[in-house]
Amino acid sequence: MEVMEAPDALANPLDSRSPSKRGPEIAGPAPRHRTVGVQIGQGEGAVTVGGGAPIVVQSMTNTDTADIDGTVAQVAQLARAGSELVRITVDRDEAAAAVPKIRERLDRIGVHVPLVGDFHYIGHKLLSDHPACAEALAKYRINPGNVGFKEKKDTQFSTIVEQAIKYGKTVRIGANWGSLDGELLTHLMDENARSPAPIDARAVMREAMVQSALTSADRAVALGLPKDRIILSAKVSAVQDLIAVYREVARRSDYAIHLGLTEAGMGSKGIVAASAAIGVLLQEGIGDTIRYSLTPEPGGDRTVEVKAAQELLQTMGFRTFVPLVAACPGCGRTTSTTFQELARDIQNWISTSMPEWKKTYPGVEGLNVAVMGCIVNGPGESKHADIGISLPGTGESPSAPVFIDGKKAMTLRGATLAKDFEAIVIDYIERRFGQGKRDAAE
């Protein structure tokens, strides 16, 4: 594959510390970086990535795709949690043969989420040998670092692109730090060594990431794949490297962009690292679809990565998915666990109820609920919410004022306080968002 020389190639390293790469100081998010819109899938489940469309949440299964029952169950679980695209591994003949059956089963149970096939090494062969798989997938994900080596690289890459053209599919060209194109990296390292002012080796690797993604995309276009069927990603596992690489990808192109921190990790570490990297880029207007690559606990809930992505977009003000529940962190004034239990119960109740509420109460995802633990900030925070409760702190009067639309509406007392507040919330939802339900009943 031909190597494209970047503007000022290697003279200006992709240094995330450089003020010129950081963008202007702004009070809110920067305008979205303009990219070409890409439609993925057809019919009810189709989504648009880029072109100014809302930022799309996606995820990936960790089942063996040849296990049809297990994969269907997990795809459905992820889709119902809010994943708008779901990627599955297609690594061998048995997996490729299972894909059309998985698609058929999902459609039968009403789960129309587009499926993305993750291909490495033999993707060209699997797509050619299993046309039903090529047809059932909405998008192919390929890594230019392992689509083929030496003289086979161009042929194997071309075969995948030709299959995408034949079946009208989208392709994500995803460069990855862990499988970087060795030939390209060697070329850039040698060029840097000959330079009168060589730069840091890490900066050369960043440049190799950018060039790997962009030259592969341009090659796909030259083969006949339209720009509106190409999405780019350039994933690394270090936050500052990720920010620097994606800034440069955005600066040099208008391809739709998939954001993700590869191998983010487990638990709070993974969520914090991914949020830090993706959040900075979204604030700068970069990114059209996001995925949290979280390592689940053994037997853990795969949907955590979907919820984390949704929460990032919602807390940053880009999209609204579920009602927000604001709750104080607790302190010496809140030795009672009542407010913690109520906040937990309200959050769980809302999450459980949302699938049905979305059908019955259009707009309910914009609801803002506050559960506060004492008199210091409780009343003020409750007034800012649509509906809020300020529970008594240590030594305070055993009463809990409830605020609705900024005004005190009533005071709750007694052992049934939690259930009483839930009843007030559902009554508020019914009155504010229930017009669609009432119209349907008429």
Side-chain angles (χ1 to χ4, degrees), residues 223-409:
L223 289 167
L225 188 66
K227 288 187 77 171
D228 64 2
R229 297 228 300 273
I230 297 173
I231 296 174
L232 295 188
S233 67
K235 293 187 175 183
V236 301
S237 57
V239 170
Q240 295 297 343
D241 289 323
L242 190 88
I243 293 169
V245 166
Y246 271 107
R247 282 173 174 166
E248 198 64 11
V249 169
R251 186 179 74 82
R252 296 191 204 176
S253 78
D254 61 355
Y255 292 107
I257 291 176
H258 167 119
L259 294 183
L261 185 77
T262 192
E263 287 91 37
M266 183 179 287
S268 60
K269 182 268 177 186
I271 292 173
V272 169
S275 297
I278 296 172
V280 167
L281 290 163
L282 291 177
Q283 185 72 4
E284 295 181 1
I286 299 169
D288 301 301
T289 178
I290 65 174
R291 190 237 166 163
Y292 273 58
S293 300
L294 302 180
T295 305
E297 299 284 347
D301 184 356
R302 191 67 169 177
T303 65
V304 168
E305 66 177 45
V306 178
K307 295 168 186 173
Q310 289 180 327
E311 287 171 7
L312 178 72
L313 292 176
Q314 183 152 339
T315 55
M316 292 188 72
F318 291 109
R319 291 187 64 181
T320 303
F321 297 97
V322 295
L324 287 175
V325 178
C328 72
C331 66
R333 296 181 62 89
T334 56
T335 52
S336 167
T337 61
T338 303
F339 87 93
Q340 297 167 330
E341 292 162 359
L342 181 57
R344 177 200 63 202
D345 292 347
I346 290 292
Q347 184 73 69
N348 290 342
W349 174 58
I350 286 174
S351 295
T352 302
S353 303
M354 273 308 290
E356 184 58 35
W357 283 359
K358 282 185 176 180
K359 302 174 189 174
T360 315
Y361 304 112
V364 70
E365 60 272 15
L367 181 70
N368 192 341
V369 180
V371 179
M372 305 304 294
C374 79
I375 201 170
V376 174
N377 292 319
E381 289 287 348
S382 296
K383 287 177 184 177
H384 288 302
D386 295 317
I387 181 166
I389 186 169
S390 179
L391 295 163
T394 306
E396 294 174 5
S397 173
S399 61
V402 175
F403 297 83
I404 298 176
D405 293 331
K407 297 178 181 179
K408 184 178 176 181

Side-chain angles (χ1 to χ4, degrees), residues 164-187:
I165 294 169
K166 178 179 179 180
Y167 293 104
K169 305 301 180 178
T170 296
V171 172
R172 171 160 74 94
I173 295 172
N176 193 291
W177 196 258
S179 50
L180 191 52
D181 184 329
E183 187 178 347
L184 173 62
L185 181 60
T186 299
H187 167 80

Side-chain angles (χ1 to χ4, degrees), residues 126-137:
L126 293 174
L127 286 168
S128 299
D129 292 350
H130 297 272
C133 169
E135 180 65 43
L137 294 169

Side-chain angles (χ1 to χ4, degrees), residues 14 34 43 55 89 96 111 201 329 342:
L14 308 184
R34 290 189 177 187
I55 298 162
T89 299
V111 176
L342 181 57

